[in-house]
mmCIF file of all heavy atoms in Angstrom:
data_model
loop_
_atom_site.group_PDB
_atom_site.id
_atom_site.type_symbol
_atom_site.label_atom_id
_atom_site.label_comp_id
_atom_site.label_asym_id
_atom_site.label_seq_id
_atom_site.Cartn_x
_atom_site.Cartn_y
_atom_site.Cartn_z
ATOM 1 N N LEU Y 28 -12.766 28.541 -24.986
ATOM 2 C CA LEU Y 28 -14.213 28.297 -24.995
ATOM 3 C C LEU Y 28 -14.743 28.073 -23.581
ATOM 4 O O LEU Y 28 -15.849 28.520 -23.257
ATOM 5 C CB LEU Y 28 -14.567 27.118 -25.900
ATOM 6 C CG LEU Y 28 -16.063 26.849 -26.071
ATOM 7 C CD1 LEU Y 28 -16.800 28.074 -26.628
ATOM 8 C CD2 LEU Y 28 -16.283 25.655 -26.990
ATOM 9 N N GLU Y 32 -17.736 30.119 -21.835
ATOM 10 C CA GLU Y 32 -18.833 29.399 -21.168
ATOM 11 C C GLU Y 32 -19.047 29.927 -19.755
ATOM 12 O O GLU Y 32 -20.183 30.122 -19.319
ATOM 13 C CB GLU Y 32 -18.531 27.902 -21.139
ATOM 14 C CG GLU Y 32 -19.614 27.052 -20.516
ATOM 15 C CD GLU Y 32 -20.823 26.871 -21.405
ATOM 16 O OE1 GLU Y 32 -20.658 26.673 -22.614
ATOM 17 O OE2 GLU Y 32 -21.952 26.926 -20.880
ATOM 18 N N PRO Y 36 -22.911 31.593 -21.099
ATOM 19 C CA PRO Y 36 -23.228 30.328 -21.773
ATOM 20 C C PRO Y 36 -23.905 30.504 -23.137
ATOM 21 O O PRO Y 36 -23.660 29.711 -24.049
ATOM 22 C CB PRO Y 36 -24.144 29.605 -20.786
ATOM 23 C CG PRO Y 36 -23.796 30.182 -19.456
ATOM 24 C CD PRO Y 36 -23.447 31.622 -19.728
ATOM 25 N N GLN Y 38 -23.358 32.913 -25.324
ATOM 26 C CA GLN Y 38 -22.308 33.257 -26.278
ATOM 27 C C GLN Y 38 -21.473 32.013 -26.615
ATOM 28 O O GLN Y 38 -21.059 31.834 -27.765
ATOM 29 C CB GLN Y 38 -21.407 34.365 -25.740
ATOM 30 C CG GLN Y 38 -22.073 35.701 -25.660
ATOM 31 C CD GLN Y 38 -22.273 36.351 -27.024
ATOM 32 O OE1 GLN Y 38 -21.926 35.829 -28.072
ATOM 33 N NE2 GLN Y 38 -22.858 37.533 -27.003
ATOM 34 N N ALA Y 39 -21.227 31.161 -25.621
ATOM 35 C CA ALA Y 39 -20.477 29.932 -25.877
ATOM 36 C C ALA Y 39 -21.227 29.041 -26.858
ATOM 37 O O ALA Y 39 -20.627 28.449 -27.757
ATOM 38 C CB ALA Y 39 -20.224 29.192 -24.564
ATOM 39 N N THR Y 40 -22.532 28.976 -26.729
ATOM 40 C CA THR Y 40 -23.348 28.204 -27.671
ATOM 41 C C THR Y 40 -23.235 28.796 -29.070
ATOM 42 O O THR Y 40 -23.093 28.058 -30.055
ATOM 43 C CB THR Y 40 -24.822 28.178 -27.218
ATOM 44 O OG1 THR Y 40 -24.886 27.529 -25.939
ATOM 45 C CG2 THR Y 40 -25.700 27.446 -28.206
ATOM 46 N N ALA Y 41 -23.253 30.110 -29.174
ATOM 47 C CA ALA Y 41 -23.122 30.774 -30.474
ATOM 48 C C ALA Y 41 -21.748 30.487 -31.094
ATOM 49 O O ALA Y 41 -21.646 30.293 -32.309
ATOM 50 C CB ALA Y 41 -23.346 32.279 -30.325
ATOM 51 N N VAL Y 42 -20.708 30.410 -30.266
ATOM 52 C CA VAL Y 42 -19.378 30.061 -30.771
ATOM 53 C C VAL Y 42 -19.392 28.627 -31.299
ATOM 54 O O VAL Y 42 -18.915 28.353 -32.398
ATOM 55 C CB VAL Y 42 -18.301 30.238 -29.679
ATOM 56 C CG1 VAL Y 42 -16.972 29.624 -30.110
ATOM 57 C CG2 VAL Y 42 -18.128 31.715 -29.337
ATOM 58 N N ARG Y 43 -19.961 27.717 -30.523
ATOM 59 C CA ARG Y 43 -20.037 26.312 -30.955
ATOM 60 C C ARG Y 43 -20.824 26.161 -32.261
ATOM 61 O O ARG Y 43 -20.508 25.312 -33.075
ATOM 62 C CB ARG Y 43 -20.686 25.459 -29.876
ATOM 63 C CG ARG Y 43 -19.783 25.133 -28.732
ATOM 64 C CD ARG Y 43 -20.417 24.094 -27.806
ATOM 65 N NE ARG Y 43 -19.854 24.237 -26.491
ATOM 66 C CZ ARG Y 43 -20.346 24.994 -25.518
ATOM 67 N NH1 ARG Y 43 -21.463 25.664 -25.675
ATOM 68 N NH2 ARG Y 43 -19.726 25.071 -24.356
ATOM 69 N N ASN Y 44 -21.842 26.994 -32.448
ATOM 70 C CA ASN Y 44 -22.688 26.925 -33.645
ATOM 71 C C ASN Y 44 -22.095 27.679 -34.834
ATOM 72 O O ASN Y 44 -22.689 27.702 -35.913
ATOM 73 C CB ASN Y 44 -24.084 27.479 -33.348
ATOM 74 C CG ASN Y 44 -24.861 26.596 -32.406
ATOM 75 O OD1 ASN Y 44 -24.580 25.412 -32.264
ATOM 76 N ND2 ASN Y 44 -25.843 27.177 -31.736
ATOM 77 N N GLY Y 45 -20.955 28.326 -34.643
ATOM 78 C CA GLY Y 45 -20.308 29.052 -35.730
ATOM 79 C C GLY Y 45 -20.863 30.442 -35.978
ATOM 80 O O GLY Y 45 -20.495 31.092 -36.957
ATOM 81 N N ASN Y 59 -10.857 27.636 -30.354
ATOM 82 C CA ASN Y 59 -11.718 27.414 -29.188
ATOM 83 C C ASN Y 59 -11.002 26.635 -28.092
ATOM 84 O O ASN Y 59 -11.264 26.837 -26.913
ATOM 85 C CB ASN Y 59 -12.987 26.662 -29.593
ATOM 86 C CG ASN Y 59 -13.895 27.479 -30.476
ATOM 87 O OD1 ASN Y 59 -13.682 28.662 -30.693
ATOM 88 N ND2 ASN Y 59 -14.911 26.833 -31.007
#
Side-chain angles (χ1 to χ4, degrees):
L28 185 58
E32 182 75 41
Q38 290 287 0
T40 298
V42 169
R43 283 189 205 92
N44 291 338
N59 293 352

